[in-house]
Amino acid sequence: MTTASSFRASRAIGAMFFSLLGGVWLVLGSNRAFGLNPPVLALVVVGALVLFGFAWRVFQRNKEALVEDAASPAKKKADRVFNIVNAGQWILILALGNVLVNVGRPEWVLAAAMFIIGLHFLPLAHVFAYPPHYVTGLALMTWAVGYSLVAPNGPANPVGCLGAGVILWASAAFGLTVKPFGRQVQTQINGNE
């Protein structure tokens, strides 16, 4: 059964990934907007490392509970679904990216990847019983379509990558501050903590 501590450890793992992946999107966007600008690059790297550091601290304080939770059948099933969804995401990104390049539309590759990454959060929200993943997924999908249609230069506009980075960093920060919720977690908290 998921405890408050294992919930915090899981959210911290997600926040570590989101801090780094958000940083990658921000580096892509800033390089497209400003070229290779060392002060901007340094600012993004520092931001990613600070957010990663906070997540690491939360994880370290709660990792023992996550190890105990890892043996549960529900956790094993969730991890299996996560691996399948993640593999499917990358296969779809690579396949669609290849198609877009081959039909002469390479400017759409990043927007398509952003949309697919957002899409992959939807089943994970259900599998991990973490509704904020719906928000992250829908935000990335909406952003990918929205900026591509209205920004000057469409999907080639650097604001797309910048927005994706901000969405992921906001999701990381939220994941570090959200209190445990859900029936299993609340039952454990009310009964044992």
Side-chain angles (χ1 to χ4, degrees), residues 22 25-30 33-34 114 143 158-167:
W25 281 107
L26 289 166
V27 165
L28 284 171
S30 65
F34 312 113
M114 191 182 308
W143 183 252
V159 74
C161 295
L162 296 171
V166 169
I167 290 167

Side-chain angles (χ1 to χ4, degrees), residues 84-110:
I84 292 167
V85 169
N86 225 18
Q89 166 195 243
W90 289 109
I91 290 167
L92 190 55
I93 288 171
L94 292 172
L96 186 56
N98 191 34
V99 168
L100 289 168
V101 168
N102 286 323
V103 299
R105 304 303 286 193
E107 71 276 12
W108 283 93
V109 171
L110 288 177

Side-chain angles (χ1 to χ4, degrees), residues 109-129:
V109 171
L110 288 177
M114 191 182 308
F115 186 89
I116 293 166
I117 291 167
L119 183 64
H120 109 287
F121 279 105
L122 302 184
L124 296 182
H126 175 72
V127 168
F128 291 119

